[in-house]
Amino acid sequence: MFDGYIRDHARWTPRAPAVLTAQRTWSYAEFDADVDRCGAALAALGLPVGGVVAVDVADAGLQLLLIAALARLGVASSPAADPAADLRLTDDVLGPAWRQAMAAAEPRPLPTLSLDPLALGRVMLSSGATGPPKRVGYTWRRLEHGAHLSLRGYCAGQTGAHVPLVGLDAMTGLTMAMCAWAVGAPVTETFAPAALPPWLEALPPGVVAMTPMHLQRLLAALPDGFEPRPGWRLVVGGAALPAGLAREARLRITPDVRTLYGSTEGGDGALGYAAGLDDAPGQVGITPSGAVVAIVGEDGRPLPDGQSGEIRIRGERVIPGYLGDPGATAERFQDGWFLTRDVGRRLPDGRLVLEGRLDERMILDGAKFMPGVLEAAALACPGVVDCAAFAVPDADGLDRCWLAVAAQAGFDRDRLANHLAACPDLPPRRFAWIEAIPRDAMGRVERTVLRDAVLAATRPA
C-alpha cells in the first residue's frame, strides 16, 4: 500500500529526499531500490504467511526501511513491544552480515501486489491509559483512510520534512511517514527533542508531530539566537496542551501550532489550532468529517452542547475491536461506538474541550468533579505555568481537592487564590507549590505521584 507512494516518487522525482537521518539521506530512487533489496532479503528469512512481524531495531533508517519492505511484501508489521507477533525482527536477527549482504544485493523490483483492502496491514498497541496496552489491527484500507485524513488535516500543504518525534511505533508517527511519502516529501528519523533545534534551522519546513512533553523539552533546549526557518507546523497530541506552553511555542518557534485529539482505536476525533486555547483552555478543535463524536451522560444518552460527559466516537476509522481480546472489546466497543473513557464537552462553535479521564474524576462531598475544570481556571491566571488538580484523602478518609502549581519566579500566590475565588462552581482546594508537574512520556499528569507526595508530606510523624 504505502510502499507504492515510494515507488511512484522514485519515478517522478527520483533525486528528491525520501528519508533523512543523522547518518545519511536517501533519495526516493535509492530508498525504493533498498525497499526491494530489503523485501527480497526478508522473504528469504521465511516470513509467516498471514502473520504479523514486529520491527524491533535501534536504527531509525532501518526501521523505516523494514516497515516499507514488509508492506511491499503484503505482510503486516507491528511495533517492537507487540507481545503476540509471529516473528520479531531484531538487531540480533538482522546482524551486520545480513545488512551488508542486503545492501550489496542487486535491486530487482518486487512484483506489485493486489492487496485485499480488508486484510490486516498493521498492528498497533493502544496507549495503555486505562490498563495494559491492547492489540489494535488496521486493515490496508484503514491505513489509507487515516493517511488521507491527515493529508487534508494537519499535514495539508506541508511538503517539507515530516518529523515524527512521537516515534514510528505510535500511529501518528507512522502516519507522518506515509503522508511524507504520499506527497514526495522526506520523513526524518525520530529525534530527541533536545536534538531538534538545529534541524528546525536547516531542514525544509514541514510538520513535527509531538506530545506536550516533547514540546516542553524542545522549548527548554532552544539555544540563544535560535532562528527556525519560517513555515514549520507543530502538531501536538497525546495529552492536553497547556495554553501557556502553546503560546510560548507560537512566539519562539512558529505561529502554526495545532492540536490533535484521537486514539489508536478510534482515529482522529478532533483537529484544531492551538490559538483556540487562549479563549477555551482544553479545546482540541473540531471533529473532522468521516467521524462522529457524541458526548453522553451516565445513562449513555447524548448531552446538549456545554454539558460534560463521556466522549464516544464512531466512523470509518474506528476499529471493530481488539485482536484476540473479546472481553476488552465488549467493554470498550458498543453498537459501533468506541468508548474513549475521556470526559469533555462541545462548545457552540463545534470545538471539543477535554476535561480529563473518567478514572481521574474526583468525588468531593458527594459531587463529581473533573480536574480539568479547575486546571483551566488556574491556567487563566497570569504567571501560572502549569498545574494539576488531584484528590487526597483526609484523616477521615474523605477525598479533598488539591492543586499543584508551577509558577513563574516571584509569582504572588495570593493572586491565584483571589483569581480562583472569583470563579464560580469550583471546589475548595489546598495548594501544593512545585517546580514542575510530573507527567508521563505522553505528557499526561501523573496524579498518583502528586497524591502520594502530599500523603507523605502530611502524614503524622
Side-chain angles (χ1 to χ4, degrees):
M1 176 257 175
F2 51 87
D3 66 288
Y5 307 157
I6 301 166
R7 179 175 280 164
D8 289 342
H9 287 286
R11 298 168 180 171
W12 293 332
T13 54
R15 297 180 62 186
V19 175
L20 301 172
T21 73
Q23 287 71 40
R24 65 169 294 185
T25 297
W26 271 281
S27 70
Y28 269 94
E30 292 169 335
F31 194 65
D32 183 61
D34 277 351
V35 170
D36 283 328
R37 289 189 181 97
C38 186
L42 289 176
L45 293 177
L47 299 177
V49 177
V52 177
V53 178
V55 177
D56 186 8
V57 295
D59 182 86
L62 180 60
Q63 185 184 15
L64 285 162
L65 183 61
L66 290 168
I67 291 172
L70 288 168
R72 185 157 294 183
L73 295 170
V75 176
S77 61
S78 69
D82 182 6
D86 300 289
L87 177 67
R88 188 171 304 279
L89 299 178
T90 66
D91 289 318
D92 290 334
V93 173
L94 309 180
W98 183 90
R99 300 185 195 191
Q100 290 171 7
M102 182 269 292
E106 185 70 21
R108 292 185 174 87
L110 295 174
T112 300
L113 301 178
S114 180
L115 297 174
D116 178 358
L118 300 182
L120 186 65
R122 175 74 177 178
V123 171
M124 300 300 298
L125 300 179
S126 69
S127 66
T130 57
K134 301 170 184 64
R135 301 182 83 225
V136 175
Y138 287 171
T139 63
W140 296 109
R141 176 175 291 171
R142 168 64 178 77
L143 287 171
E144 197 155 32
H145 278 167
H148 285 171
L149 170 60
S150 299
L151 283 170
R152 65 182 177 81
Y154 60 81
C155 289
Q158 296 297 89
T159 56
H162 286 49
V163 186
L165 286 195
V166 292
L168 297 173
D169 284 354
M171 195 60 234
T172 302
L174 180 59
T175 300
M176 289 280 290
M178 291 190 291
C179 288
W181 293 332
V183 298
V187 60
T188 76
E189 66 173 275
T190 305
F191 300 113
L196 186 58
W199 294 93
L200 294 177
E201 295 176 312
L203 290 175
V207 56
V208 187
M210 61 180 64
T211 68
M213 184 61 70
H214 287 134
L215 181 56
Q216 186 179 58
R217 292 172 178 170
L218 171 60
L219 289 167
L222 295 182
D224 293 340
F226 172 68
E227 294 185 7
R229 297 184 66 179
W232 280 104
R233 177 179 300 157
L234 307 184
V235 179
V236 188
L241 175 60
L245 197 63
R247 283 193 292 270
E248 184 180 358
R250 300 200 321 264
L251 286 171
R252 301 181 64 191
I253 301 177
T254 174
D256 191 356
V257 182
R258 305 198 182 185
T259 51
L260 170 65
Y261 167 68
S263 61
T264 308
E265 298 93 334
D268 295 340
L271 301 171
Y273 293 84
L277 293 165
D278 291 339
D279 71 281
Q283 72 85 35
V284 287
I286 64 168
T287 300
S289 60
V292 178
V293 165
I295 312 295
V296 303
E298 293 184 357
D299 59 1
R301 295 183 179 181
L303 296 171
D305 288 354
Q307 290 192 23
S308 299
E310 182 187 3
I311 299 171
R312 298 183 178 182
I313 183 170
R314 69 184 304 168
E316 59 192 6
R317 292 179 291 276
V318 176
I319 65 165
Y322 296 116
L323 296 178
D325 197 337
T329 296
E331 180 183 348
R332 299 295 297 278
F333 296 86
Q334 296 179 11
D335 300 323
W337 293 95
F338 171 60
L339 283 56
T340 67
R341 298 292 189 253
D342 293 324
V343 176
R345 69 185 190 277
R346 202 189 325 264
L347 299 176
D349 62 9
R351 286 181 295 167
L352 194 64
V353 176
L354 295 185
E355 296 175 351
R357 297 192 59 82
L358 280 176
D359 57 4
E360 295 176 335
R361 187 162 52 187
M362 300 181 286
I363 308 297
L364 306 172
D365 293 327
K368 298 173 181 178
F369 188 81
M370 291 304 301
V373 177
L374 176 56
E375 291 164 359
L379 288 169
C381 179
V384 173
V385 176
D386 198 4
C387 65
F390 56 102
V392 180
D394 63 14
D396 296 323
L398 300 176
D399 277 350
R400 301 301 179 192
C401 182
W402 283 71
L403 183 66
V405 182
Q408 295 175 352
F411 178 72
D412 182 357
R413 297 179 179 182
D414 290 337
R415 178 195 300 174
L416 178 58
N418 294 333
H419 171 82
L420 294 177
C423 298
D425 303 323
L426 296 181
R429 86 289 306 173
R430 297 185 64 182
F431 294 99
W433 299 93
I434 191 171
E435 289 188 6
I437 301 299
R439 296 179 180 271
D440 64 14
M442 295 297 290
R444 293 183 289 253
V445 175
E446 295 182 311
R447 300 183 200 276
T448 301
V449 173
L450 292 167
R451 183 198 63 194
D452 292 347
V454 169
L455 286 173
T458 57
R459 185 179 297 123

